[in-house]
Amino acid sequence: MSSESPEARPPVVTPVRVVIALCLFAPFVAMLWVGSYAKVDPTLAGIPFFYWYQMLWVLVSTALTMIAYKLWQRDQRARKGGGAK
């Protein structure tokens, strides 16, 4: 029998946690790789690509952060509920 509480266990790399990390890391890569979007064409309703691409990433980042948060909550509930064996 272990004297460690479920909260004191060391972190574990799981596929869900890798997905969470990718969800949080993707916007940084997309925004830091300026060469991929530093252009005018294609325009969207007269707005150059440079601007609408960044605005699109605001929405995508919000969605990815929400997904990461929900996955994290589910992962924490699973660790607390099914951790004792």
Side-chain angles (χ1 to χ4, degrees):
M1 192 189 279
S2 175
S3 64
E4 288 186 46
S5 67
E7 294 82 24
R9 287 183 289 176
V12 178
V13 177
T14 63
V16 172
R17 290 182 179 192
V18 171
V19 170
I20 291 169
L22 289 175
C23 284
L24 296 175
F25 188 65
F28 288 104
V29 172
M31 290 292 93
L32 289 176
W33 186 22
V34 179
S36 70
Y37 64 91
K39 52 189 172 186
V40 175
D41 290 327
T43 59
L44 180 67
I47 301 170
F49 181 73
F50 180 78
Y51 294 110
W52 68 258
Y53 178 83
Q54 291 179 60
M55 290 299 107
L56 179 65
W57 269 102
V58 169
L59 299 174
V60 171
S61 297
T62 302
L64 289 173
T65 303
M66 185 180 68
I67 290 167
Y69 177 70
K70 293 298 182 182
L71 287 172
W72 179 257
Q73 282 183 324
R74 192 175 75 178
D75 184 61
Q76 292 303 302
R77 281 193 305 267
R79 275 178 65 95
K80 288 181 182 179
K85 288 187 178 179

